Amino acid sequence: MVRSGFAKFAYAFAADCDEGSSVRLGDDSALKAGPRVFKDLTFADTCVIVSAFAAAAVVGFLHLVGAGSVLIFAMTAVALAGIAYVIGEATNQLGNHLGASAAGIIQSALGNLPELFICIFALKAGSVAVVQAALIGSIIATAVLILGVALMVGSVRHGLLKFESRTPRMIAVLLMLAVSALVLPTLAYELHLPAARHERELAVVCALALLLVFTLSTQVMLRNGERKVPPEARARPQVWPIGLVLAVLAICGVITVLLSDWFIEALRPATEQLGISEAFAGFVVVAIAGNTVGVVEIRLAFQGNADLAVSVALNGALQVAVALIPVLVLVSFFFFDGAPFTLTIPPVMAAALALSVLVVTLVCVDGRADIVDGASLVGLYVLIAAIFWWG
């Protein structure tokens, strides 16, 4: 009986896939044979979600049987990338059911969920260096690597890309503010200024200032319609029901917590065995795994929508710089007394961040970009990542 029902479900599933339509179960008899949820998903959506959840299940099994740290580390990074992508898809679908303002705020809050939990568990474990590298790496990966690849892909197909420069210019200014909040405390510490003796207080002041500016900038962007990405920009063959969206987000949230804990647990022994530094793991592995939603920017550029590609990429970096970092600063002081996260970072990180924002600003300020601009950004990322290979 079970085999017969499964056969009906598989037949209906395959028939719909052959037609290139969404994964529907066809008639009523087929609906009885399989979960109704599949009728609300396209084949691509189903494959992505199932693959991400399966990767997380594999990590759970490896953790349960006590597999090697390197294997758990690698599989957890893959699973986190998949879950991050599913969260991005779900938050985009959520925008179809909410107004522009609510959708924009929720997308800002949930977009960096994997990185948030990884950093929280890292702070709990006392790995402040990993948190610093992951956050700086996330900003640079989004604003430099992903944007660079998007510009290259778009230029190959459309030649010179033209985009409205007002929004990128405003975001670049806010990114420079975030850079200042990181560079100035670092300079005070390195130069042994009196403010260096009040590192914690200075971090709280900077965090509150960044959050205030983020709140004001979000209100302005929402008022001007710039925080909300139009539905056509992330077009999908089918809209998910609100119940399915919330269920996917809830499940992804729980999985993210577990994966983040396992990732940090395996991080130190894995990096020792692989011969790479924790800084490189945070700067590259964590940052890229948490930014798999960057394929959206690449797709937008490929479609010739350079305005949205540039804005979405810079907005992603901005959320980390002026929202996620200040939140972690405040959280670390209230919950992790043993490892407070201040804004004093290694000078090379501060320099890399400052140079990255400067180059991105120069690329975007005139509203034009080509394949050379994109290649320059990618090259800059490679140079910075190489420096962190040894720590």
Side-chain angles (χ1 to χ4, degrees):
M1 187 72 177
V2 175
R3 289 172 62 104
S4 175
F6 179 78
K8 291 180 181 178
F9 169 69
Y11 177 80
F13 184 87
D16 282 331
C17 293
D18 290 340
E19 295 174 1
S21 62
S22 59
V23 182
R24 298 178 181 276
L25 299 183
D27 56 15
D28 291 339
S29 62
L31 281 171
K32 295 176 183 178
R36 289 183 57 86
V37 68
F38 285 109
K39 75 184 183 65
D40 299 316
L41 300 174
T42 65
F43 178 56
D45 289 335
T46 303
C47 289
V48 169
I49 293 175
V50 171
S51 298
F53 289 176
V58 170
V59 175
F61 174 76
L62 293 175
H63 181 77
L64 184 64
V65 300
S69 299
V70 173
L71 181 58
I72 293 178
F73 175 77
M75 283 302 303
T76 306
V78 172
L80 281 169
I83 293 298
Y85 186 84
V86 172
I87 290 175
E89 293 293 297
T91 52
N92 294 337
Q93 289 284 348
L94 190 61
N96 295 318
H97 301 279
L98 303 174
S101 298
I105 293 172
I106 291 175
Q107 287 171 350
S108 297
L110 298 180
N112 302 108
L113 195 62
E115 292 165 306
L116 174 63
F117 282 116
I118 288 175
C119 291
I120 287 177
F121 279 105
L123 286 174
K124 185 178 179 180
S127 301
V128 178
V130 174
V131 177
Q132 293 174 335
L135 294 173
I136 303 302
S138 180
I139 297 172
I140 297 177
T142 307
V144 178
L145 177 62
I146 293 175
L147 180 58
V149 173
L151 294 180
M152 291 178 65
V153 170
S155 297
V156 167
R157 189 177 188 191
H158 303 283
L160 181 66
L161 298 177
K162 298 181 180 180
F163 47 89
E164 191 273 326
S165 61
R166 184 172 64 89
T167 299
R169 190 183 303 115
M170 178 178 66
I171 296 175
V173 171
L174 294 174
L175 284 174
M176 287 302 299
L177 170 65
V179 169
S180 301
L182 292 168
V183 171
L184 292 177
T186 300
L187 287 176
Y189 178 81
E190 295 295 329
L191 298 176
H192 306 289
L193 299 180
R197 295 193 296 269
H198 304 278
E199 184 180 359
R200 296 189 175 189
E201 294 85 348
L202 181 60
V204 172
V205 170
C206 292
L208 293 176
L210 288 176
L211 287 175
L212 175 61
V213 172
F214 176 72
T215 302
L216 294 175
S217 66
T218 299
Q219 291 177 351
V220 172
M221 289 183 180
L222 291 175
R223 190 182 307 121
N224 296 336
E226 293 164 351
R227 176 69 69 178
K228 170 74 169 121
V229 179
E232 63 270 15
R234 305 175 189 246
R236 292 292 183 273
Q238 191 163 336
V239 176
W240 301 359
I242 184 66
L244 177 61
V245 174
L246 296 177
V248 169
L249 286 174
I251 295 172
C252 285
V254 174
I255 293 176
T256 300
V257 172
L258 295 174
L259 290 176
S260 301
D261 189 17
W262 297 334
F263 183 83
I264 295 301
E265 183 180 330
L267 177 61
R268 183 161 296 173
T271 53
E272 290 177 355
Q273 292 183 43
L274 292 173
I276 62 176
S277 67
E278 290 187 5
F280 181 84
F283 187 86
V284 176
V285 179
V286 175
I288 293 180
N291 280 284
T292 51
V293 290
V295 297
V296 171
E297 291 92 297
I298 298 172
R299 184 173 66 242
L300 289 172
F302 182 77
Q303 294 169 349
N305 201 335
D307 278 327
L308 283 173
V310 174
S311 295
V312 172
L314 295 183
N315 260 313
L318 181 66
Q319 290 169 18
V320 176
V322 299
L324 184 57
I325 289 179
V327 166
L328 283 171
V329 168
L330 299 179
V331 167
S332 71
F333 279 101
F334 285 105
F335 297 101
F336 306 118
D337 293 333
F341 177 60
T342 66
L343 297 179
T344 301
I345 61 177
V348 67
M349 283 190 185
L353 182 61
L355 287 173
S356 298
V357 174
L358 177 61
V359 173
V360 169
T361 302
L362 292 175
V363 168
C364 298
V365 70
D366 62 349
R368 295 169 179 264
D370 56 20
I371 191 171
V372 176
D373 294 315
S376 299
L377 291 176
V378 174
L380 175 62
Y381 182 83
V382 172
L383 292 175
I384 297 173
I387 291 176
F388 287 97
W389 175 262
W390 292 278

